[in-house]
Amino acid sequence: EIVLTQSPGTLSLSPGERATLSCRTSQSIRSTYLAWYQQKPGQAPRLLLYGASSRATGIPDRFSGSGSGTDFTLTISRLEPEDFAVYYCQQYGSSPRTFGQGTKVEIK
Amino acid sequence: EVQLVQSGAEVKKPGESLRISCKASGYSFTAYWITWVRQLPGKGLEWMGRIDPGDSHLNYSPSFQGHVTISADQSTSTAYLQWSSLKASDSAMYFCARSSLGTTMVSPWDYWGQGTLVTVSS
């Protein structure tokens, strides 16, 4: 099983600031199979990025992703009020599919 | 419009059985995987397993194999997650989700149900 470790656990930032979230995998994966999801309280997760860097339909361009091998990054260039949420990375190339434990982006 | 609508919240006792549902609409039900994800209270996301509604091919996470059963009914475009004997530790939110690409492709999940809260308590 591929283990995903996200850091930091919590990120305290102000609107307008840049957020950088990290996801490290226990073994190298193809970037094709790395996704990021956003989840707000009481809601289902929402797909943000797939293939490490491709935005899903309707996702604004302030969300970007990068990385390869075992290290991946989600960047939110300028935080909007609606971006404060929990973010999960996920690998979907091997079974079982696995998620990171999540990074909470909270208002400072 | 693609929609996945899940059945309502359930309160059950340990040892009871349960089946929750996920009704799909707005797309060809047999063309995309349906997956189930568990979220324990205040915790992260866990993949449970998936089904190809076209041929009922199944993949389970080892963590859930043998404890839950995933199925699908093409006639009603509905996927199911069921337990034969619930435990208190099954208390969680359960989400269904659809693969973003067809069943022959590897893809993440782009449409999600609203979640079904299952509470197991004596």
Side-chain angles (χ1 to χ4, degrees), chain B residues 15 29 33 36 49 51 54 56-57 60 62 71 73 80 83 105 112 114:
Chain B
F29 181 61
W33 293 94
W36 286 94
I51 187 166
S56 292
H57 181 72
Y60 287 101
S71 60
D73 182 345
Y80 298 98
W83 297 258
M105 309 285 284
W112 292 67
Q114 82 279 17

Side-chain angles (χ1 to χ4, degrees), chain A residues 22-100:
Chain A
S22 173
C23 175
R24 178 163 291 177
T25 59
S26 61
Q27 56 187 270
S28 182
I29 67 169
R30 291 180 60 179
S31 59
T32 309
Y33 302 137
L34 194 285
W36 290 91
Y37 295 85
Q38 176 195 66
Q39 188 180 30
K40 297 179 181 179
Q43 296 185 16
R46 177 173 72 145
L47 178 65
L48 294 177
L49 302 174
Y50 60 93
S53 60
S54 297
R55 281 186 294 277
T57 302
I59 303 303
D61 60 8
R62 63 180 180 273
F63 291 92
S64 63
S66 63
S68 63
T70 60
D71 290 292
F72 298 89
T73 300
L74 169 66
T75 301
I76 311 171
S77 58
R78 293 174 310 279
L79 283 164
E80 297 288 341
E82 62 268 28
D83 299 336
F84 292 92
V86 179
Y87 293 83
Y88 295 95
C89 58
Q90 182 222 1
Q91 67 80 21
Y92 52 93
S94 68
S95 192
R97 310 301 196 235
T98 47
F99 292 91

Side-chain angles (χ1 to χ4, degrees), chain B residues 63-113:
Chain B
S63 299
F64 294 92
Q65 177 93 46
H67 188 57
V68 298
T69 301
I70 295 171
S71 60
D73 182 345
Q74 293 183 21
S75 68
T76 59
S77 298
T78 302
Y80 298 98
L81 177 66
Q82 67 182 66
W83 297 258
S84 59
S85 180
L86 286 160
K87 304 175 183 177
S89 56
D90 293 319
S91 296
M93 181 71 80
Y94 293 88
F95 294 101
C96 63
R98 191 200 78 161
S99 61
S100 62
L101 299 176
T103 55
T104 60
M105 309 285 284
V106 177
S107 65
W109 311 312
D110 57 353
Y111 288 93
W112 292 67

